[in-house]
Amino acid sequence: MGESLAGKEELTVYGAAFGDKRSKDDYGAVMNYARITPPSVKENYVDIAGGNSSIDLTEAVGGVVFEDGEIDFKFTLFDPDKKEQMKNDLHGNRMKIVLDREPEFYYEGRVSVTSEKQTGNIYELCMKAKVKPYKMKKLLVHEEEINGAKEIILFSKRMPVMPVITVKGSIAVSYEGIRFSLETGVYEIPEITFQNGMNRLKVSGRGTIRLEYREGELI
């Protein structure tokens, strides 16, 4: 008598999307793994001649910056034509990559096929993607009518991000003690760059303000 599957965890087979191509749907590929290597910190040290230790200038440019990260993939395929199609579609191309296991994020980088192997009627395709150090989340949009003065509090993740500010009317915006007078138009202001955590904007005037930004987390 067969054993009931009730109460048992269902096995989920994850794949990935490369641009508009899906590993399972377009190639019939089974993803054996997608292993992520976090980005290295771009460290900068200056030796002190005749003294102990060194001077750490890693954050001298305004914060910690990172090298690229990497994702290593291994796929199993069962059709030689699909294997060749997958290789030709992806190898050498820069694209957005979405892993099924975390569909709320996307990675961006260049894909390279590193090896391929055949065992009978089974084909193995290994790839790597050199990706930006942050995985990106969906676009966040905050819009408010302004009639007087108020404070807007917006949260962001680890990646510093400059919001796109769209103003209709005449609105003053203050951030970190710096004030900007904005008329109808679209703005990207380097001094208004959101950091990890809570970001406070003091706004006043009359009109509408719309802020758009995309959160990013370290891979």
Side-chain angles (χ1 to χ4, degrees):
M1 187 172 180
E3 184 181 1
S4 172
L5 295 177
K8 290 194 172 184
E9 184 178 355
E10 183 179 351
L11 178 64
T12 302
V13 179
Y14 291 117
F18 298 87
D20 61 354
K21 302 292 186 180
R22 296 191 58 82
S23 58
K24 183 178 179 182
D25 297 341
D26 289 283
Y27 310 110
V30 175
M31 190 172 78
N32 302 93
Y33 59 71
R35 295 172 179 163
I36 297 172
T37 301
S40 299
V41 176
K42 288 187 175 181
E43 297 177 310
N44 184 10
Y45 296 96
V46 176
D47 184 50
I48 302 174
N52 294 317
S53 190
S54 57
I55 300 173
D56 186 352
L57 299 178
T58 301
E59 298 184 56
V61 296
V64 179
V65 292
F66 301 91
E67 305 284 354
D68 288 324
E70 191 169 283
I71 309 176
D72 290 293
F73 295 94
K74 179 181 176 182
F75 291 97
T76 298
L77 300 95
F78 307 94
D79 183 329
D81 293 333
K82 290 292 185 182
K83 186 263 294 182
E84 287 300 309
Q85 181 186 347
M86 187 176 190
K87 181 172 67 174
N88 279 276
D89 285 347
L90 306 185
H91 183 57
N93 289 327
R94 187 172 187 87
M95 55 187 59
K96 290 182 179 180
I97 301 166
V98 179
L99 303 180
D100 289 353
R101 66 191 187 217
E102 46 177 3
E104 70 274 22
F105 292 100
Y106 72 83
Y107 300 79
E108 186 175 347
R110 192 170 303 281
V111 178
S112 300
V113 174
T114 55
S115 68
E116 54 183 307
K117 185 173 73 175
Q118 178 181 354
T119 305
N121 294 323
I122 298 176
Y123 302 86
E124 177 184 295
L125 199 61
C126 292
M127 300 185 296
K128 71 175 180 180
K130 189 173 184 180
V131 296
K132 290 182 177 181
Y134 293 97
K135 55 184 180 181
M136 308 300 294
K137 220 170 182 184
K138 67 179 181 180
L139 187 69
L140 297 175
V141 178
H142 182 92
E143 186 170 349
E144 286 200 32
E145 292 284 340
I146 306 300
N147 186 10
K150 68 190 309 183
E151 184 176 61
I152 297 174
I153 300 176
L154 298 173
F155 291 86
S156 190
K157 294 191 179 295
R158 178 67 185 272
M159 183 183 73
V161 60
M162 189 190 313
V164 176
I165 303 172
T166 303
V167 168
K168 293 181 180 178
S170 182
I171 295 176
V173 179
S174 295
Y175 180 75
E176 298 291 331
I178 304 176
R179 187 176 185 273
F180 303 90
S181 296
L182 308 179
E183 302 294 330
T184 297
V186 180
Y187 302 86
E188 289 183 271
I189 303 170
E191 291 84 357
I192 302 180
T193 296
F194 291 165
Q195 304 298 325
N196 187 33
M198 186 167 57
N199 296 270
R200 297 177 180 271
L201 294 161
K202 294 181 179 180
V203 297
S204 60
R206 296 182 184 276
T208 302
I209 186 169
R210 176 186 174 97
L211 298 108
E212 302 176 44
Y213 64 101
R214 194 180 298 277
E215 294 180 304
E217 292 185 0
L218 280 172
I219 70 169

